[in-house]
Amino acid sequence: MLKWLLLVVSIVAYGAAWQASTPGGIGLMLLVGTIAAIASFLGFVAARVGAVAQSQSSRETALLVTARGRAAAGRGTGAGAGTGAGAGAAAASGYLYAGDTNRAARADDDAAADAGSAETSDGGGSDGGGGD
């Protein structure tokens, strides 16, 4: 709301400078009008950047929540559930944007990574070697 008020103040100050008869009045009104115009412009820019940043972060948050929910739902507990390209594609299909042309490849990679991480876990420390 303040940005609109500053815009009106700027317009009124420029109009008053146009009608002023003394050099001091013209200078003062031009100074007030210029400061109000700059402040109004910065207010509009800040509002625009804030709106874009907020929508971007909310989209990313929603994307992460959806991805985690789909990945957890895709793992399941049945025989062979959550393994293979079909399960990975089903889990990945909901959280990638519509224009993504590598959706199936990413789903296969995710499924292979999930299967690989489950198979290589030996519970033997963090050195990655088998049990010596």
Side-chain angles (χ1 to χ4, degrees):
M1 184 65 182
L2 182 63
K3 58 186 175 284
W4 290 104
L5 180 64
L6 287 170
L7 183 63
V8 170
V9 167
S10 175
I11 292 171
V12 169
Y14 285 134
W18 184 263
Q19 296 296 324
S21 58
T22 63
I26 293 172
L28 179 65
M29 290 298 116
L30 286 176
L31 181 66
V32 168
T34 302
I35 290 172
I38 291 171
S40 176
F41 174 76
L42 290 176
F44 281 112
V45 168
R48 175 70 176 170
V49 168
V52 169
Q54 180 181 12
S55 66
Q56 179 68 25
S57 66
S58 64
R59 277 188 297 229
E60 289 174 357
T61 302
L63 182 72
L64 287 172
V65 167
T66 304
R68 288 183 183 149
R70 300 258 179 181
R75 289 193 183 117
T77 57
T83 60
S93 64
Y95 65 89
L96 298 174
Y97 61 93
D100 191 1
T101 58
N102 294 325
R103 179 179 293 164
R106 287 187 190 175
D108 290 342
D109 291 343
D110 289 344
D114 287 343
S117 66
E119 292 172 3
T120 60
S121 175
D122 62 356
S126 62
D127 61 351
D132 283 336

